[in-house]
Amino acid sequence: MTTTTPARTTTRMAALVSEIRTVVERGLAPDLTAYLVGERLAPHLGAPELLTPAQQEGDPERYRQHILHAESDGSFSVVALVWLPGQETCIHDHVSWCVAGVHQGEESERRFHLAPGAGPARLVATEDVVNAQGSVCGFAPPGDIHKVRNSCHTKAISVHVYGADVSRLGTSIRRVYTLPVD
């Protein structure tokens, strides 16, 4: 994944950041924070003035992360992930609560449950979801193991809000899973 810093923030993105800040400052439980941030994100998805052209650029090698905003106190970050056809993540979970909204195109997501047993732990696929333009999902650890893929024939862009400073961490991924999958 490549990371870039935005040349500028659009007026619409600044408004979204302000709305997110208002929710995060309430100090609610992570799952409730994610839900409320998702409500704020949804109306902005698909708006042409949300991202600059540079923030919509992909990378032919892997999906690309554009950091759009990192709150100065580290309480949240907003990123755009740009996916060219067929690009995907590894199976992973996150360092914090997360909200993802599809701005353009569609993304396929496979969700997993970690199933410990008498032998080695394994992953069990629990749900396959196709997230179309305008879709929003939110989650908080634990139980946020998934893999995301652009399964359409065009570029897909999603806007993610994380309850962590991605500009400092470099990623929102806590763990990558290489366990057997049932």
Side-chain angles (χ1 to χ4, degrees), residues 74-155:
S75 60
F76 71 92
S77 301
V78 182
V79 303
L81 297 182
V82 181
W83 315 76
L84 299 181
Q87 292 179 337
E88 63 186 10
T89 67
C90 54
I91 300 173
H92 65 280
D93 63 7
H94 298 89
V95 297
S96 69
W97 59 264
C98 173
V99 174
V102 179
H103 180 64
Q104 175 184 318
E106 78 179 25
E107 298 171 353
S108 296
E109 177 185 14
R110 175 166 277 185
R111 299 175 183 166
F112 297 91
H113 169 72
L114 183 60
R122 66 190 194 291
L123 292 171
V124 176
T126 59
E127 188 175 16
D128 287 309
V129 180
V130 176
N131 300 306
Q133 191 276 320
S135 297
V136 174
C137 64
F139 46 83
D144 61 322
I145 304 169
H146 69 160
K147 178 178 187 167
V148 181
R149 179 174 193 270
N150 176 358
S151 56
C152 63
H153 300 291
T154 60
K155 176 170 54 176

Side-chain angles (χ1 to χ4, degrees), residues 18-38:
S18 179
E19 293 173 38
I20 294 167
R21 184 178 295 121
T22 299
V23 170
V24 172
E25 286 176 344
R26 293 174 66 185
L28 302 170
D31 56 343
L32 182 54
T33 298
Y35 175 81
L36 294 172
V37 168

